[in-house]
Amino acid sequence: MQKRVIHKNILSTILTAIGWFLLPIAWYLVFTLVLVLADLYTGWKASNMRFISRGVRKTIDKLIAYFIAILLAHAFDLIYLADGGLIVSFAVSSVIASTEMLSVYENIQRQTGTGLLSTVKKFINGNLKS
């Protein structure tokens, strides 16, 4: 009986530590998941192909690689940045999000034939120069 209580306490401690580590970057991970799924869907629709397992496998591999990159960046932030900021985590997540959003816009443009991507680029360039 006492052994079971010790195991529950150890498990509780481990889960608390994992939660403490993941909580600051949870939205980075969720948004990455949403963007990768959006890229999968829009890429599938733009290609006019049937759904194939190879594409899903590549998407899962890409998602795992992105999660590893964000987790390692967060570990770097915790270990090497004294103020506890999310500087490297933010930078890595921003690059990943930008890449995936660009891919989604390209897929939408390919699917619909609209100039969505060029319009977005003009909007961003116009606002950055201001």
Side-chain angles (χ1 to χ4, degrees):
M1 187 69 166
Q2 191 176 15
K3 217 177 201 182
R4 187 177 298 175
V5 172
I6 292 172
H7 289 204
K8 284 184 180 179
N9 287 341
I10 291 171
L11 180 62
S12 176
T13 302
I14 290 170
L15 291 176
T16 300
I18 291 171
W20 173 83
F21 180 76
L22 292 178
L23 190 60
I25 58 168
W27 284 113
Y28 294 161
L29 298 172
V30 169
F31 192 55
T32 299
L33 174 65
V34 168
L35 287 172
V36 168
L37 291 176
D39 184 35
L40 174 67
Y41 177 77
T42 58
W44 169 57
K45 292 303 257 182
S47 70
N48 294 323
M49 294 178 61
R50 60 185 177 86
F51 213 69
I52 53 174
S53 61
R54 185 178 30 166
V56 174
R57 187 173 58 246
K58 284 175 61 178
T59 298
I60 291 171
D61 289 344
K62 178 171 64 169
L63 184 63
I64 290 170
Y66 284 165
F67 278 6
I68 289 170
I70 294 169
L71 292 170
L72 289 175
H74 183 50
F76 183 91
D77 283 338
L78 290 174
I79 294 168
Y80 294 108
L81 300 180
D83 66 351
L86 298 174
I87 296 168
V88 179
S89 304
F90 176 77
V92 168
S93 297
S94 297
V95 169
I96 290 169
S98 300
T99 302
E100 287 301 302
M101 286 177 61
L102 181 63
S103 180
V104 168
Y105 286 140
E106 288 171 348
N107 291 337
I108 291 171
Q109 183 171 335
R110 204 171 340 131
Q111 180 187 0
T112 62
T114 61
L116 179 63
L117 186 57
S118 59
T119 304
V120 170
K121 283 181 182 178
K122 286 178 188 174
F123 177 77
I124 289 172
N125 288 335
N127 285 333
L128 290 179
K129 290 179 183 176
S130 300

